[in-house]
Amino acid sequence: MTQQDFDFIQSLAYQETGIVLPERKKHMVYSRLSRRLRHLGLKNFNQYCDHVQSEPGELMNFVNALTTNLTAFFREEHHFDYLDKEIAPLWRRRRNKRLRVWSSACSTGEEPYSIAMTLADHFSGAEWDLKILATDLDTNVLSKAAKGCYAEDSITGLPERYREKYIKTTPNGILMKQSIQKKIHFKQLNLLQKWPMTGPFDVIFCRNVLIYFDNETKAKIIAKFRKLLAPDGLLFIGHSETLTNISDEFELIGQTMYQPLRGGHAKIHGERKKALTG
């Protein structure tokens, strides 16, 4: 892979996904795209760069190959604890029974299934309209997520109450029960392109995604999240991420947890804090 090849790949990745590939990622790019070269029978990266430009269908394979998909059930557990112990009890007192959550980079599905299990314990009654939107750029991981089938060792740390209620064991591993699968709608979405959703969402998860973007792209995405959040909605980001110097429309209310700040939102947050603390 020549420097010219890498420059082209950098530019295409940024143009299509907003992902920034610094020079230190060159080995990673080489490793991941080499599999596509072998699959296509191409001799070098110059041929592959020509191929991805001339064959529109290859672009999605290019994106899928470069996308990082590291995830686990109940990863960054404090977010789910907050939903379970503090937010869900407040929601149960709402007159509005419509609840919407968006997992905006759902990967192979562990995050939205963790959300669904957490909230299903509180909102399983027919009067509750709970739906979870799960999106990702990578079509391959979305296909796996929609099946809801995982290796047995992937749920080692799962609370026993969730295992009993929402998971069944099969010869091929574990399978999410239909009662939990039907709460989640999986869709392919590029965060840099047009979003068809209108909201409002009560919670948006965008964890360990912003680290791949430059500050300008981060700011644009966060501004769009803000528009889709309910007045008392929440935004959860990754453990190594922050909105500092990215957006002034949110206040930090907990570890990597934010709430809109404008208008009456600060007051709403104050009321929430008062309710939670008694």
Side-chain angles (χ1 to χ4, degrees), residues 11-25:
S11 176
L12 184 60
Y14 183 77
Q15 173 186 321
E16 294 297 326
T17 70
I19 293 175
V20 176
L21 295 173
E23 196 72 23
R24 67 177 185 275
K25 297 284 187 178

Side-chain angles (χ1 to χ4, degrees), residues 130-141:
L130 168 64
K131 291 181 181 177
I132 299 164
L133 174 64
T135 65
D136 202 277
L137 182 64
D138 189 331
T139 54
N140 292 331
V141 297

